[in-house]
Amino acid sequence: MSTQSYQVIGTRPIRHDGVDKVTGRALYGADIQMAGLLHGAILRSPHAHARIRSINTSKAEALAGVKAVVTAADFPPTGDRIVDLGEGETPLSYIRGNILASGKVLYRGHAVAAVAATSPHIAAEAASLIEVEYEPLPCVLTAPEAMRPGAPLLHEDLKTKEFGQQTDRVSNIAEHFRHSLGDLEKGFAEADIVLEREFHTATVHQGYIEPHNATALWNNDGRLLIWCSTQGAFVVRDTTACILDLPVSQVKVTPMEIGGGFGGKIPVYLEPVAALLSKKTGRPVKIVMSRKEVFEGTGPTPGSFIRIKIGAKRDGRFTAAQADLAYEAGAYPGAMVGAGAMTVFAAYDIPNVTIDGYDVVVNKPSTAAYRAPGATNAAFATETVVDEIAEHLGLDPLDLRLKNAAKEGTRRADGLKYRRIGCVEVLEAMKAHPHYRAPLEGANRGRGVAIGYWFNAGLPSSCTISVNADGSVTLVEGSTDIGGTRTSVAMQAAEVLGIPAGSVHPVVVDTDSVGFTAVTGGSRTTFATGWAAYEAAQDVLRQMKERAAKLWGLEPSAVRFEGGHFRASGHEISFAELAARLAETGGPVVGRATVNPRGVGGSFAGCIVDVEVDPETGKTSILRFTSIQDAGRAIHPSYVEGQMQGGSVQGIGWALNEEYFMGPDGEMRNSSLLDYRMPTALDLPMIDTQIVEVPNPGHPFGVRGVGEANIVPPPAAIANAIYRAVGVRMRRLPMSPPNLMQELWKKS
Amino acid sequence: MQKKMHVTATINGEVQEFLCEPRQSLLECLRDILHLTGTKEGCNDGNCGSCTVLMDGRLVTSCLVLGPEASGAEIVTVEGLARGRELHPLQKAFLEQAALQCGVCTPGFLVAAKALLDREPQPSEQRIRWWLANNLCRCTGYDKIVRAVQQAAAELAATQGGMNRL
Amino acid sequence: MARVFIPSLLRSFTGGSAEVEANGATVRELIEDLEARYPGIRQRLLEGSHLRPNISVAVDGEVSPLGLLETVSPTSEVHFLAAIKGGMAPSMGSLSPSSAP
Ligand code: FES
Ligand code: FES
């Protein structure tokens, strides 16, 4: 496959939705206008933990322009049950509870009530007139605090689960699991050096620029219509239907253009609320979050406490490794600790491993996925310990990693064995990169490296392709396009059909108009929806061969398709020519496919970073940055590079500045984009990229998916670079000026 | 409900009249009243740059300007960059360099970059980064945005009369 | 017989063994066979006739979208995993939560 030459794959066409996005014509969720539109606003809890004694909405209802007020009491009266809405099985009460609190509020920013009014200003004013009487309760904000016996409990009925078994321990630990491989004690006994270190990482937000939004119209025919910004229209449909106790077919979700998601736009927050308001008013209702609501009321990624212990022989060979991972789920169970456990030692072949994971609820917003969720925290810990081992043993940090690198056949502690992976190839590309050997001179400067892994996802995707008489095709898909996937999907169809990428017109449609398609997430869209497009294109070819055969009076099996032409002995017709003759050979051709693919291929990414630390202020500047990642096959290299650059920079922000500054009362003190400091253009150099291609044998074109692994290594690489620059080991994220100064003062 | 005010402003070269409440921002007026939804809201407090427009040649974050303040002003939004069917060189360069992923920050970057190139046809990389520092992009890491601005600058310099076009 | 890997928190049923053997043409049959050999283990894996919430099964290195209906061959490797909550459905065949495209 790697020797095959492609016509479309690997080229860099202009994206199909590009012109609309540079002219301002593309319609995002907040851009919806419609006759009779009302505007919603949400009242949120000022307490991190409190019992709701009463809610009085009468003053709000009396304000001119207010059309409706809703609370959790407006949800249908169906009892609690376990549901699976694409996020694992969860009590319905948790899902509803996060959308509108009932009984208790569990974090500051927890939605309590909502208003619909004739303007956003009136709605906001009315929300502030709702009177809620709270009984404040003590709160817990970090995993170690929440795990302590006697800690205030968020859910009085939450019992720790241990591999399917409900224990009778009531606590904030929702789940504990363990992976183990080999004999840990024996492994550590064999080691010449054993290092054990503890790490803390702060809660950070995905930081997409477009706030969440939703517009709902409970139509007079009883159908609920929704327009919103989401990574998965079907997840919104299924979740909203479940919460409102409707059959899924009664809900139609139209995904608008989406202004970034990174995992944070998978959960549903606003849609059921807008729906309830529309039901009460008979009018469409639009709700758009403010930036403060995005920070306080949506899911950031978990803060964590991690303990790592690694043993190695003098020659560098790892003999044993142990990890304890305690991740903060926020208000409801479901931290990304399972993924943390699967990735914490994923880059290495280690014979004896034990990993313990704890999913811990705390009084912070219910966490959501963030680009390789759980993996960045874990790699920060592992990769800095690996760096320290290299230093102690006097080994080159990349040589040490290569010596222990995971390969095809390596068994991870969670039990799974790798198929073909590109860990070694990425490490070798790092070693060979001119950046790694370039001189780095000057005081307080240092270079660091690290590697990270993300396993990627498969999941269902659907696609149809209709052939137009002019030789172009229309491709209908259900994957919202966050970063150019219309094009990376269309290119795979174009490759099969032997036509230019520009002759495929991709459209992303509503849930009535395409088969079920899972979320744009898990780096799965180019892999899985691309695969659906590949299959649908094959279906088109099969039908077109029949048409050619009909024209020539042959059996379809006698027709070949090569180089964009249908051929049989003595006959030849191009795709476009045949497309023009469909009417006379039997009518339209529509290819279709649904896939639920296996063969998902994980991706490794590494980075090399040079930093300079200002020892007076503790500020770290990035001087040079190189990101190297295994794409399997880069369908559109520009957008692969774009993923690598974007993920790297999110990793840099996570490393150096970003954090929820929480007061002891659970209030986020920096809930604006001024104070939650994401990297700007001025904070960064160019981000160099090198795409490694170790084709995934599980995909027709070798695609792995590149959206995530790139965010994993930067915090560790930067920590390692800081150590070489100023001699302190940073074990707390972010490595912000105050945190770094503290370490520098300790050292001196 | 507050009493509405009558505002006349030139928007993308056309004189427009509209009624707005005194508390409505220019961003709200553009989006909700004039239906120019190309200008985006990311924060509503001046810190993301998605709502950037030109007001009498100056860059402003339109969420921090009140609608009535636009009275008599000349406003340029992303919708005003292309000339008819012809894209502005910055728009072309953003497409060619793949300088957008989700695209929600793009209108703000395009307007900000235009303001820069209007003033300084050949900015250095550092100058571009400085100038665009009020515009947040969470998707791209800025690399391709900076390159797109460099490409547009080069193209404008190469094109005869390029500067007049801007 | 298929090789079945026992998660560490279930090894009390297998006398501490991390790896056992079992027969079955599907995961469901395999669990019945495990139950015959290690009584009590079934109810840790199944709830009624379904896999328990937050447990998924991987056959030959890949988490199965079919779960109990997945085919198992005598040379298969079968793992029961603590499925990962958050982001995506383990029951739909993935361990992966999610994020960017
Ligand atoms: S919306 Fe105006 S600067 Fe963010
Ligand atoms: S392209 Fe998404 S924020 Fe810039």
Coordinates of all heavy atoms in Angstrom, one line a residue, chain A residues 209 259-260, chain B residues 99-106 109 136-140 145, ligand 2:
Chain A
I209 N -13.4 28.8 20.4 CA -13.7 30.3 20.4 C -15.2 30.5 20.3 O -15.7 31.5 20.7 CB -13.0 30.9 19.2 CG1 -11.5 30.8 19.3 CG2 -13.3 32.4 19.1 CD1 -10.8 31.3 20.6
G259 N -17.7 26.2 15.7 CA -16.5 27.0 15.9 C -15.6 26.3 16.9 O -15.2 27.0 17.9
G260 N -15.1 25.1 16.6 CA -14.2 24.4 17.6 C -15.0 23.6 18.6 O -16.1 23.9 19.0
Chain B
A99 N -5.3 28.3 6.4 CA -5.1 29.1 7.6 C -6.3 29.1 8.5 O -6.4 29.9 9.4 CB -4.7 30.5 7.3
L100 N -7.3 28.2 8.2 CA -8.5 28.1 9.1 C -8.8 26.7 9.2 O -8.6 25.8 8.3 CB -9.7 28.9 8.5 CG -10.1 28.5 7.1 CD1 -11.6 28.5 6.9 CD2 -9.5 29.5 6.1
Q101 N -9.3 26.4 10.4 CA -9.8 25.0 10.7 C -11.3 25.1 10.9 O -12.1 24.9 10.0 CB -9.1 24.3 11.8 CG -7.7 23.9 11.3 CD -6.9 23.2 12.4 OE1 -7.4 22.6 13.3 NE2 -5.6 23.4 12.4
C102 N -11.7 25.6 12.1 CA -13.2 25.7 12.3 C -13.7 27.0 11.6 O -14.8 27.1 11.3 CB -13.5 25.7 13.8 SG -13.2 27.3 14.6
G103 N -12.8 28.0 11.5 CA -13.2 29.2 10.8 C -13.9 30.2 11.6 O -14.2 31.3 11.0
V104 N -14.1 30.0 12.8 CA -14.9 31.0 13.5 C -14.1 32.3 13.9 O -14.6 33.4 14.0 CB -15.6 30.4 14.8 CG1 -14.7 30.4 16.0 CG2 -16.9 31.2 15.2
C105 N -12.8 32.1 14.0 CA -11.9 33.2 14.3 C -11.6 34.0 13.0 O -11.0 35.1 13.0 CB -10.6 32.8 14.9 SG -9.6 31.8 13.8
T106 N -11.8 33.3 11.8 CA -11.2 33.8 10.6 C -11.7 35.2 10.2 O -10.9 36.1 9.8 CB -11.6 32.8 9.4 OG1 -11.2 31.5 9.9 CG2 -10.9 33.2 8.2
F109 N -9.6 37.7 12.1 CA -8.2 37.7 11.7 C -8.1 38.4 10.3 O -7.1 39.2 10.1 CB -7.7 36.3 11.5 CG -7.1 35.8 12.8 CD1 -7.8 35.0 13.6 CD2 -5.8 36.1 13.2 CE1 -7.2 34.5 14.8 CE2 -5.2 35.7 14.3 CZ -6.0 34.8 15.2
L136 N -7.7 35.6 19.1 CA -7.4 34.3 19.5 C -7.9 33.3 18.4 O -9.0 33.4 17.9 CB -8.1 34.0 20.8 CG -7.6 34.7 22.0 CD1 -8.5 34.4 23.3 CD2 -6.1 34.4 22.3
C137 N -7.0 32.3 18.2 CA -7.4 31.2 17.4 C -7.0 29.9 18.2 O -5.9 29.8 18.7 CB -6.7 31.1 16.0 SG -7.0 29.6 15.2
R138 N -8.0 29.1 18.4 CA -7.7 27.9 19.2 C -7.3 26.7 18.4 O -6.9 25.7 18.9 CB -8.9 27.6 20.1 CG -8.6 26.6 21.2 CD -7.5 27.0 22.2 NE -7.7 26.2 23.5 CZ -6.8 26.3 24.4 NH1 -5.7 27.0 24.3 NH2 -7.0 25.7 25.6
C139 N -7.6 26.8 17.1 CA -7.4 25.6 16.2 C -6.1 25.5 15.6 O -5.5 24.4 15.4 CB -8.5 25.5 15.1 SG -10.2 25.5 15.7
T140 N -5.5 26.6 15.1 CA -4.4 26.5 14.1 C -3.0 26.6 14.7 O -2.0 26.3 14.1 CB -4.5 27.6 13.1 OG1 -4.3 28.8 13.7 CG2 -5.8 27.6 12.4
I145 N -1.7 31.0 9.8 CA -2.3 32.3 9.7 C -1.2 33.3 9.4 O -1.3 34.1 8.5 CB -3.1 32.7 11.0 CG1 -4.3 31.8 11.2 CG2 -3.5 34.2 11.0 CD1 -5.1 32.0 12.4
Ligands
FES2 S1 -9.8 28.3 13.1 FE1 -10.9 27.7 14.9 S2 -10.5 29.3 16.2 FE2 -9.3 29.7 14.6

